[in-house]
Amino acid sequence: MRQRLSSEPDRYRGRRRVPTVPGSRYAAVITTALVGAGVVALGAGAAMDDAKGVDSSALKNSLDTASAAAEDLADREASAERSTRDSERTESTEEGLATSLSSSPDAWLLPLHGYEFSAPYGVRWGKVHPGIDLAAKEGTEYKAVHGGTVTLAGWYGGYGYAVIVDHGDGIQTIYGHSSQLMVKAGQQVDAGTTLGLVGDTGHSYGSHLHLEIHLDGNTLDPITFLRDRGVDIQSEIEPIYGSVTAP
Ligand SMILES: [Zn+2]
């Protein structure tokens, strides 16, 4: 197990913070709902009663209904944003930073640092490359990109010594060609937990990490998948607080 981040301050130097969603969204929703309902009620009243004027109780009922709907929306919005605020609350201290990085269930991180992006996902030389290759020195630690359960840690054919992590929601990650494994099947891991050491085992052409991401059994391009979660493989940038969630 490696030391947590408080001992590695320069790991974050120059990293960009990914902005979080502003908290004013549901205020706008309430306003829109009330104004919209008012306009509808006034319009209906005018059409039905014509010269007799607007039925004020109908207008009031419509406004009450709209108001209840808006509160319901606001409640749901508020609880959705509560989780964001909870993870932000820990951002104020150095200790909080380490805690949120290692324990936030929403965190997505780079699998390692100091690599060279050496092969993309997709068709390559007439063959499908189901993941990406990140060249790094043999023995470099690599980590889980997200929390989950290790479902395989061992020899896995052409992948050599490999780790598979099940993240739930149909998402799995595979890490291939390790020189050494640091976890066991059945183990729970957090984003950033060291899984193994980079190597050249299995069908490999030099020391590198082969990373695959599967969704419901199909491979995805890890570049775009991780970019949607605040992790930029090509620029080696990850969210400092690990609190960015998928849209
Ligand atoms: Zn590969």
Short mmCIF file of all heavy atoms in Angstrom, two decimals, residues 146-152 163-168 171-173 184-190:
data_model
loop_
_atom_site.label_atom_id
_atom_site.label_comp_id
_atom_site.label_asym_id
_atom_site.label_seq_id
_atom_site.Cartn_x
_atom_site.Cartn_y
_atom_site.Cartn_z
N HIS A 146 -11.61 3.96 -9.96
CA HIS A 146 -12.88 4.20 -9.28
C HIS A 146 -13.05 3.10 -8.23
O HIS A 146 -12.43 2.04 -8.33
CB HIS A 146 -14.01 4.14 -10.32
CG HIS A 146 -15.33 4.64 -9.83
ND1 HIS A 146 -15.54 5.93 -9.42
CD2 HIS A 146 -16.54 4.01 -9.72
CE1 HIS A 146 -16.81 6.08 -9.07
NE2 HIS A 146 -17.44 4.94 -9.24
N GLY A 147 -13.86 3.36 -7.23
CA GLY A 147 -14.09 2.34 -6.21
C GLY A 147 -14.85 1.15 -6.74
O GLY A 147 -15.60 1.26 -7.73
N GLY A 148 -14.66 -0.01 -6.11
CA GLY A 148 -15.37 -1.21 -6.54
C GLY A 148 -14.85 -2.45 -5.87
O GLY A 148 -14.18 -2.38 -4.83
N THR A 149 -15.16 -3.59 -6.47
CA THR A 149 -14.74 -4.89 -5.94
C THR A 149 -13.84 -5.59 -6.94
O THR A 149 -14.18 -5.67 -8.13
CB THR A 149 -15.99 -5.78 -5.69
OG1 THR A 149 -16.92 -5.06 -4.89
CG2 THR A 149 -15.60 -7.07 -4.99
N VAL A 150 -12.71 -6.08 -6.47
CA VAL A 150 -11.81 -6.85 -7.34
C VAL A 150 -12.46 -8.20 -7.63
O VAL A 150 -12.80 -8.94 -6.71
CB VAL A 150 -10.44 -7.05 -6.66
CG1 VAL A 150 -9.53 -7.94 -7.52
CG2 VAL A 150 -9.78 -5.71 -6.38
N THR A 151 -12.67 -8.49 -8.92
CA THR A 151 -13.28 -9.78 -9.27
C THR A 151 -12.26 -10.76 -9.82
O THR A 151 -12.52 -11.96 -9.86
CB THR A 151 -14.42 -9.61 -10.30
OG1 THR A 151 -13.91 -8.93 -11.45
CG2 THR A 151 -15.57 -8.81 -9.71
N LEU A 152 -11.09 -10.25 -10.24
CA LEU A 152 -10.02 -11.13 -10.69
C LEU A 152 -8.70 -10.45 -10.38
O LEU A 152 -8.55 -9.25 -10.60
CB LEU A 152 -10.12 -11.41 -12.19
CG LEU A 152 -9.00 -12.29 -12.80
CD1 LEU A 152 -9.56 -13.24 -13.84
CD2 LEU A 152 -7.88 -11.43 -13.41
N VAL A 163 -5.78 -7.37 -13.29
CA VAL A 163 -6.79 -7.11 -12.26
C VAL A 163 -8.07 -6.67 -12.97
O VAL A 163 -8.01 -5.87 -13.91
CB VAL A 163 -6.33 -6.00 -11.28
CG1 VAL A 163 -7.43 -5.67 -10.27
CG2 VAL A 163 -5.05 -6.42 -10.54
N ILE A 164 -9.18 -7.20 -12.53
CA ILE A 164 -10.49 -6.71 -12.98
C ILE A 164 -11.23 -6.16 -11.77
O ILE A 164 -11.29 -6.82 -10.72
CB ILE A 164 -11.33 -7.83 -13.65
CG1 ILE A 164 -10.58 -8.39 -14.87
CG2 ILE A 164 -12.70 -7.30 -14.06
CD1 ILE A 164 -11.32 -9.52 -15.59
N VAL A 165 -11.73 -4.95 -11.91
CA VAL A 165 -12.53 -4.34 -10.84
C VAL A 165 -13.94 -4.10 -11.34
O VAL A 165 -14.14 -3.55 -12.43
CB VAL A 165 -11.91 -2.99 -10.37
CG1 VAL A 165 -12.75 -2.38 -9.25
CG2 VAL A 165 -10.47 -3.19 -9.90
N ASP A 166 -14.91 -4.56 -10.55
CA ASP A 166 -16.32 -4.32 -10.86
C ASP A 166 -16.78 -3.09 -10.08
O ASP A 166 -16.69 -3.06 -8.85
CB ASP A 166 -17.14 -5.55 -10.44
CG ASP A 166 -18.59 -5.45 -10.90
OD1 ASP A 166 -19.05 -4.32 -11.19
OD2 ASP A 166 -19.26 -6.50 -10.97
N HIS A 167 -17.22 -2.06 -10.81
CA HIS A 167 -17.59 -0.79 -10.17
C HIS A 167 -19.10 -0.67 -9.97
O HIS A 167 -19.57 0.38 -9.52
CB HIS A 167 -17.09 0.39 -11.02
CG HIS A 167 -15.62 0.34 -11.27
ND1 HIS A 167 -14.69 0.61 -10.30
CD2 HIS A 167 -14.91 0.03 -12.39
CE1 HIS A 167 -13.47 0.48 -10.81
NE2 HIS A 167 -13.58 0.11 -12.07
N GLY A 168 -19.87 -1.69 -10.31
CA GLY A 168 -21.32 -1.58 -10.25
C GLY A 168 -21.85 -0.85 -11.48
O GLY A 168 -21.06 -0.39 -12.32
N ILE A 171 -20.33 -1.46 -14.96
CA ILE A 171 -19.01 -0.95 -15.35
C ILE A 171 -17.90 -1.80 -14.73
O ILE A 171 -17.90 -2.05 -13.52
CB ILE A 171 -18.83 0.52 -14.91
CG1 ILE A 171 -19.93 1.40 -15.51
CG2 ILE A 171 -17.44 1.04 -15.30
CD1 ILE A 171 -20.02 2.77 -14.88
N GLN A 172 -16.96 -2.23 -15.58
CA GLN A 172 -15.78 -2.96 -15.10
C GLN A 172 -14.54 -2.35 -15.72
O GLN A 172 -14.58 -1.88 -16.86
CB GLN A 172 -15.85 -4.43 -15.51
CG GLN A 172 -16.95 -5.22 -14.84
CD GLN A 172 -16.89 -6.68 -15.23
OE1 GLN A 172 -16.73 -7.00 -16.40
NE2 GLN A 172 -16.98 -7.55 -14.24
N THR A 173 -13.44 -2.38 -15.00
CA THR A 173 -12.16 -1.97 -15.58
C THR A 173 -11.18 -3.14 -15.50
O THR A 173 -11.21 -3.93 -14.56
CB THR A 173 -11.56 -0.74 -14.83
OG1 THR A 173 -11.60 -0.97 -13.42
CG2 THR A 173 -12.35 0.52 -15.15
N LYS A 184 -6.30 -8.83 -4.02
CA LYS A 184 -6.82 -10.18 -4.18
C LYS A 184 -8.28 -10.12 -4.61
O LYS A 184 -8.98 -9.15 -4.31
CB LYS A 184 -6.72 -10.93 -2.84
CG LYS A 184 -5.31 -11.29 -2.43
CD LYS A 184 -5.31 -12.20 -1.21
CE LYS A 184 -3.97 -12.91 -1.05
NZ LYS A 184 -2.85 -11.98 -0.90
N ALA A 185 -8.73 -11.15 -5.29
CA ALA A 185 -10.14 -11.22 -5.69
C ALA A 185 -11.02 -11.11 -4.46
O ALA A 185 -10.72 -11.69 -3.41
CB ALA A 185 -10.41 -12.52 -6.44
N GLY A 186 -12.10 -10.36 -4.57
CA GLY A 186 -13.03 -10.18 -3.46
C GLY A 186 -12.77 -8.92 -2.66
O GLY A 186 -13.61 -8.50 -1.87
N GLN A 187 -11.59 -8.32 -2.87
CA GLN A 187 -11.21 -7.14 -2.08
C GLN A 187 -11.96 -5.89 -2.57
O GLN A 187 -12.14 -5.69 -3.76
CB GLN A 187 -9.70 -6.94 -2.23
CG GLN A 187 -9.10 -5.92 -1.29
CD GLN A 187 -7.57 -5.85 -1.46
OE1 GLN A 187 -6.92 -6.87 -1.72
NE2 GLN A 187 -7.02 -4.66 -1.31
N GLN A 188 -12.40 -5.06 -1.62
CA GLN A 188 -12.99 -3.76 -1.94
C GLN A 188 -11.87 -2.75 -2.13
O GLN A 188 -10.92 -2.73 -1.35
CB GLN A 188 -13.88 -3.27 -0.80
CG GLN A 188 -15.02 -4.22 -0.43
CD GLN A 188 -16.08 -4.25 -1.50
OE1 GLN A 188 -16.46 -3.22 -2.03
NE2 GLN A 188 -16.55 -5.44 -1.83
N VAL A 189 -11.98 -1.93 -3.17
CA VAL A 189 -10.96 -0.90 -3.40
C VAL A 189 -11.65 0.45 -3.59
O VAL A 189 -12.81 0.52 -3.98
CB VAL A 189 -10.09 -1.22 -4.64
CG1 VAL A 189 -9.25 -2.47 -4.39
CG2 VAL A 189 -10.95 -1.39 -5.89
N ASP A 190 -10.91 1.50 -3.28
CA ASP A 190 -11.36 2.87 -3.52
C ASP A 190 -10.67 3.39 -4.77
O ASP A 190 -9.67 2.81 -5.21
CB ASP A 190 -10.96 3.78 -2.36
CG ASP A 190 -11.64 3.41 -1.06
OD1 ASP A 190 -12.81 3.01 -1.11
OD2 ASP A 190 -10.98 3.51 -0.01
#
